[in-house]
Amino acid sequence: SACFVLFVFSVVVLEQAVGFSLLPHSRRTRTKSEYDESTRTKIHIMNLASNNKAVNNDSLATTDKNSFQAPSLSTKPTTTFDRTALEAKYSQAFTSRWTEFLRESAPLAQQTAKLWASGRLRRDDPSLATAVRQTLTKLGPVFVKLGQIVSVREDILGPVWAAELALLQNSVGVFGGREAVDEALSYDSRLQSQLVQFDSIPVAVASIAQVHRGKWRSDGENDTIIDVAIKVLRPNVARQVGIDLCVLLRAGDILSEWVPRILPVSQVDWQALLAGLAQGLWEEVDLAGEAQRQIRFGNNMDSVPRVFVPRVLAYNPDILVSEWVDGIPLRTLPSMDVRLKEAQTLMRDAYCKSMYVDAFFHADGHGGNLLWVERQENINNGEGKLCILDCGLMVDIGQSSAEGLLRLSLHLGTRDWTRVVDDIIALGFLPENLSPNLKAEARGIARRIIGPYLDVGGGAKAAS
């Protein structure tokens, strides 16, 4: 049981990213000394983040690069995922999709059960990993996205599974972007006229959307033409994702009923886990919501030296137009490249500011969403910048959780394992009534699991 809950802690950021807690959420009242310590440290972090880049609040309101309201093609707000309404709206399609899901996943379930029963279920089994990838591909965008989310956690999955699931990044087909863009812009002829050039070959393709390069006529007096990145949803993807998320939650109902019978020690709330994941994925099919998050995140990053987010120019639920940024994806830089080391420092600053101060952070920071940007004249003097792309998956954790993560980080840094476990309990990832013996066991497990990362690092490898 203790091993399981500490494993849960090791993926705390991923869990925060989709807005759920695996275990019953508990809080304890902080003492005055704890509150004072948190406040002092938070002020220190804010000073570090703002160092060498003072921000004048009066001028920020008028001059900040992302503080303007981008032209919106629609005022449709980001909606909450409503399983009941979607199942009722698409009842026939949902029933058909559920049947298809059972048919496609049955061979994989049978293979896994046989391996488990024979004692041959291994973490490094390439045949099972391949079978999982193939099944996810057949099932479509939502399930491909799930595989992509977990593929970056080699520390949890192991190298075999991580490498196999990483192939899902290249398993998505291209769709007719020009037609989708024309449809998305058809609501406003003025904005449609601002798109003066469109490259039909996408520069990035994902399970839910794809990105094209183009040229955009600005709205200002100078009537300048600028390069832009145009992100557009796949046709009818909201309907398909909605139905598939309902299927996923139906599977969660079954897991909630049967897993406790097979693994009585498991405390996973499958329904809550998948409901949080469903909400996160549902928000990704509303590009208007993503644009608003991108603007907010860009404003927050304005006080972090040499870190920026592309400026938003226009958006609606189906399309997002941002300024184009030329840069080098961090995943393409060699592990010993000095630029990667420098980007690592900038990433630290950005995440300290966003997690501990703003309580609003980027939850999909893999090496493809992080660009190293440098002008020719700056290559030799270390004045490169870090550009953070794709605000589809952002997390708003609230100030209380931000302070809790700050205390946890500080105690991890000092290897104070007693307080580390206390912080995990305060954040709700371990039961509040944990016995002294289990607390002691949890401290030992935390030291063994997390200690090596604190000793040898690994951030550059993870980014690349």
Side-chain angles (χ1 to χ4, degrees), residues 20-21 61 65 67-68 159 256-257 262 301 325 386 397 426 434:
F20 64 81
S21 175
K65 62 189 176 185
S67 62
F68 71 98
S256 295
E257 180 178 354
I262 301 172
M301 289 298 98
V325 177
L386 179 69
I397 59 176
L434 208 62

Side-chain angles (χ1 to χ4, degrees), residues 135-154:
T135 300
L136 293 175
T137 302
K138 290 178 182 178
L139 287 172
V142 166
F143 300 93
V144 168
K145 185 69 176 181
L146 290 177
Q148 292 172 341
I149 288 173
V150 299
S151 69
V152 299
R153 296 305 303 265
E154 181 178 332

Side-chain angles (χ1 to χ4, degrees), residues 15 76 131 154 180 186 224 234 246 249 261 271 273 275 278 311 314 317 320 332 344 375-376 378 418 429 438 464:
E15 294 179 329
K76 175 186 173 183
E154 181 178 332
S186 63
T224 56
R234 289 178 172 273
C246 291
L249 294 178
R261 302 183 189 185
Q271 290 171 315
L273 186 156
R311 183 165 54 104
L320 169 57
T332 66
Q344 193 178 356
R375 291 190 176 92
Q376 191 67 30
N378 289 339
T418 297
F429 291 100
L438 284 178
S464 61

Side-chain angles (χ1 to χ4, degrees), residues 4 8 13 22 104-105 155 192 198 203 209 214 220 256 277 294 313 335 340 345 351 353 356 359 361 411 427 450-451:
F4 170 73
V8 170
V13 174
L22 292 179
E104 294 291 349
S105 60
D155 55 325
Q192 192 173 29
F198 180 85
V203 295
S256 295
L277 182 60
Q294 184 170 325
L313 300 173
S335 60
L340 187 59
T345 300
Y351 270 92
K353 170 69 162 54
Y356 303 142
F361 64 91
H411 295 146
L427 284 166
I450 307 167

Side-chain angles (χ1 to χ4, degrees), residues 79-84 86 241-243 245-246 249 275 278-280 282:
T79 56
T80 301
F81 179 75
D82 188 337
R83 176 186 177 182
T84 302
L86 285 168
V241 167
I243 293 171
L245 290 176
C246 291
L249 294 178
Q279 179 60 41
W282 184 243

Side-chain angles (χ1 to χ4, degrees), residues 81-261:
F81 179 75
D82 188 337
R83 176 186 177 182
T84 302
L86 285 168
E87 287 187 3
K89 183 176 181 179
Y90 303 118
S91 58
Q92 187 174 350
F94 168 70
T95 301
S96 175
R97 184 63 168 151
W98 175 249
T99 302
E100 181 183 1
F101 170 80
L102 294 177
R103 183 176 64 251
E104 294 291 349
S105 60
L108 177 62
Q110 186 179 24
Q111 180 182 354
T112 306
K114 285 182 178 180
L115 291 172
W116 179 77
S118 64
R120 294 183 291 114
L121 185 60
R122 304 192 321 271
R123 189 187 188 198
D124 60 348
D125 185 346
S127 63
L128 182 59
T130 299
V132 169
R133 176 183 60 80
Q134 292 173 341
T135 300
L136 293 175
T137 302
K138 290 178 182 178
L139 287 172
V142 166
F143 300 93
V144 168
K145 185 69 176 181
L146 290 177
Q148 292 172 341
I149 288 173
V150 299
S151 69
V152 299
R153 296 305 303 265
E154 181 178 332
D155 55 325
I156 297 173
L157 297 176
V160 172
W161 279 79
E164 186 67 38
L165 293 182
L167 297 176
L168 291 169
Q169 303 287 348
N170 303 317
S171 67
V172 182
V174 176
F175 64 88
R178 178 76 222 203
E179 293 78 8
V181 168
D182 288 343
E183 174 66 21
L185 291 176
S186 63
Y187 309 122
D188 191 316
S189 58
R190 180 182 63 85
L191 286 171
Q192 192 173 29
S193 67
Q194 289 183 262
L195 179 61
V196 296
Q197 183 177 319
F198 180 85
D199 190 342
S200 60
I201 301 176
V203 295
V205 181
S207 57
I208 291 175
Q210 65 187 29
V211 178
H212 295 258
R213 188 167 185 169
K215 291 188 180 296
W216 190 264
R217 179 179 291 107
S218 68
D219 237 352
E221 295 179 0
N222 296 331
D223 198 31
T224 56
I225 305 298
I226 58 176
D227 290 326
V228 292
I230 305 163
K231 185 174 185 178
V232 60
L233 289 180
R234 289 178 172 273
N236 300 315
V237 72
R239 177 182 183 276
Q240 184 178 356
V241 167
I243 293 171
D244 281 356
L245 290 176
C246 291
V247 167
L248 195 63
L249 294 178
R250 171 70 66 86
D253 295 340
I254 295 175
L255 288 172
S256 295
E257 180 178 354
W258 285 98
V259 168
R261 302 183 189 185

Side-chain angles (χ1 to χ4, degrees), residues 321-335:
V321 182
S322 306
E323 64 178 348
W324 179 267
V325 177
D326 284 311
I328 306 170
L330 295 192
R331 67 184 177 193
T332 66
L333 292 176
S335 60

